């Protein structure tokens, strides 16, 4: 073991003194924990009320659209309940504290020591994890070192959000989470009561706004837009939100069609006609750029 490795393993010495603000904050934190326990014991959760509130929340389209995440891993797409759903379920269940703490930042080695936790103060059930977040961001050309303070903060928050999500789900009843997931999926399929053809047209226009053409979506789903189902549109909403949040790229979710050299040569030699190429089976009102609703 090198001298540098030994120095890294040696715990940092505690400061010789603390400021008045720090001392006040420590006392406040202790008092806050004690008060939370007392309040939880005096005002225990009403499970029936928690279930009713969860059902009402999961019937809202705004939550259902953010209730699922997607990201690529090993050539496949991984999906599951998001941190947004976890936070809302913790609020509905009640008497739960959760959070993310940066315990230590080491700029010399380019990493932060973080802790994510969730605590049911009524049942005294707690789940926490301590982990190291390198100040790097993965990209196609290799990891990029982060030096800007804002980039480091966002990187820590993004990595910590996944741990917070798992901590919350670890202390919530599994049946409570599963019912919430099913209700959110149903809300997406219903689309807030909007007719399916309008939701299909809205989806096409939304993806065109981020550079994804309709033929790429049809290729992904394996059928023309006229045959998309409620489930297809619901999955497109999840994919669109994930692309917006940077969890997955548009090219990962909807791979662009490859054009061969023979196709390019054939297109160059083909005579020009008055009919545009690349037409689809959609109604004219749903054609890209028409601006009309289906």
């Amino acid at each position: 073991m090198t001298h540098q490795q030994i120095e890294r393993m040696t715990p940092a010495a505690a400061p010789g003194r603390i400021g008045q603000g720090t001392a006040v904050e420590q006392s406040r934190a202790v008092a806050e924990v004690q008060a939370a326990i007392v309040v939880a014991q005096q005002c225990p959760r009403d499970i029936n009320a928690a279930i009713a509130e969860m059902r009402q929340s999961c019937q809202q389209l705004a939550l259902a659209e953010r209730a699922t995440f997607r990201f690529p891993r090993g050539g496949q797409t991984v999906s599951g309940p998001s941190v947004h759903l976890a936070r809302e379920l913790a609020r509905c269940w009640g008497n739960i504290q959760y959070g993310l703490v940066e315990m230590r930042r080491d700029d010399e080695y380019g990493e932060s020591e973080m802790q994510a936790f969730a605590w049911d103060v009524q049942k005294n059930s707690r789940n926490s994890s301590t982990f190291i977040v390198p100040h790097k961001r993965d990209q196609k050309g290799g990891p990029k070192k982060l030096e800007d303070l804002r980039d480091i903060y966002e990187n820590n928050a993004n990595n910590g959000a996944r741990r917070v999500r798992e901590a919350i789900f670890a202390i919530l009843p599994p049946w409570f989470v599963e019912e919430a997931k099913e209700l959110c999926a149903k809300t997406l399929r219903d689309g807030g009561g909007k007719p399916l053809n309008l939701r299909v047209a809205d989806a096409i226009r939304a993806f065109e706004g981020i550079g994804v053409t309709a033929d790429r979506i049809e290729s992904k789903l394996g059928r023309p837009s006229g045959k998309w189902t409620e489930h297809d549109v619901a999955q497109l909403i999840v994919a669109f939100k994930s692309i917006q949040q940077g969890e997955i790229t548009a090219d990962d979710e909807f791979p662009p069609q490859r054009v061969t050299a023979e196709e390019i040569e054939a297109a160059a030699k083909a005579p020009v006609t008055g009919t545009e190429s690349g037409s689809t089976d959609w109604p004219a009102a749903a054609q890209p750029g028409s601006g009309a609703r289906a």
Side-chain angles (χ1 to χ4, degrees), residues 105-116:
R105 177 178 296 185
D106 191 331
D107 292 326
E108 180 181 357
Y109 291 99
E111 61 186 25
S112 292
E113 184 176 359
M114 311 287 293
Q115 184 182 73

Side-chain angles (χ1 to χ4, degrees), residues 9 32 77 96 114 143 147:
M9 293 175 60
E32 183 178 311
T77 301
I96 288 182
M114 311 287 293
E147 297 182 353

Side-chain angles (χ1 to χ4, degrees), residues 27-232:
S27 300
R28 185 203 62 80
V30 173
E32 183 178 311
V33 170
Q34 293 174 343
I37 296 174
V38 172
V39 171
Q41 296 300 323
Q42 293 179 349
C43 304
R45 70 176 56 91
D46 184 338
I47 294 182
N48 291 328
I51 294 173
E53 189 165 3
M54 175 269 291
R55 290 173 177 172
Q56 183 179 16
S57 292
C58 293
Q59 290 173 358
Q60 307 305 313
L61 190 60
L63 173 63
E65 289 177 346
R66 306 177 67 193
T68 306
F69 70 85
R70 293 166 71 90
F71 65 88
R73 176 186 291 172
Q76 298 181 344
T77 301
V78 180
S79 62
S82 69
V83 66
H84 305 291
L85 179 61
R87 290 168 177 162
E88 179 61 15
L89 295 185
R91 185 191 68 81
C92 294
W93 191 243
N95 289 336
I96 288 182
Q97 294 190 356
Y98 61 86
L100 177 67
V101 180
E102 184 178 21
M103 304 175 65
R104 179 174 175 267
R105 177 178 296 185
D106 191 331
D107 292 326
E108 180 181 357
Y109 291 99
E111 61 186 25
S112 292
E113 184 176 359
M114 311 287 293
Q115 184 182 73
F117 70 92
W119 179 28
D120 186 333
V121 293
Q122 179 177 325
K123 294 292 186 180
N124 197 25
S125 174
R126 180 181 173 90
N127 181 279
S128 65
S129 61
T130 303
F131 52 97
I132 301 296
V133 179
H135 298 168
K136 297 179 181 180
R137 178 180 295 142
D138 291 332
Q139 54 186 22
K140 291 184 177 180
K144 175 186 177 183
K145 184 178 180 180
L146 303 178
E147 297 182 353
D148 185 78
L149 294 179
R150 181 178 180 87
D151 290 339
I152 293 174
Y153 162 77
E154 292 178 349
N155 184 61
N156 289 346
N158 290 337
N159 281 273
R162 294 191 288 269
R163 274 77 170 192
V164 172
R165 177 193 67 209
E166 296 305 319
I168 294 175
F169 286 143
I171 63 174
L172 287 175
W175 57 265
F176 190 74
V177 177
E178 289 302 318
E179 181 175 349
K181 290 163 56 178
E182 292 175 4
L183 285 174
C184 286
K186 182 178 183 300
T187 300
L188 279 182
R189 291 194 298 270
D190 294 343
K194 182 182 290 188
L196 179 60
N197 63 329
L198 294 183
R199 284 185 276 151
V200 170
D202 288 344
I204 292 174
R205 280 193 291 271
F207 276 101
E208 286 177 347
I210 59 174
V212 178
T213 57
D215 58 337
R216 289 170 63 181
I217 305 176
E218 291 182 327
S219 176
K220 172 77 173 184
L221 297 179
R223 49 187 168 273
S225 61
K227 296 183 179 180
W228 291 355
T229 65
E230 290 86 353
H231 177 75
D232 293 333

Side-chain angles (χ1 to χ4, degrees), residues 264-276:
I264 296 176
E265 293 176 358
K269 296 177 181 178
V272 178
T273 63
T275 303
E276 292 184 357

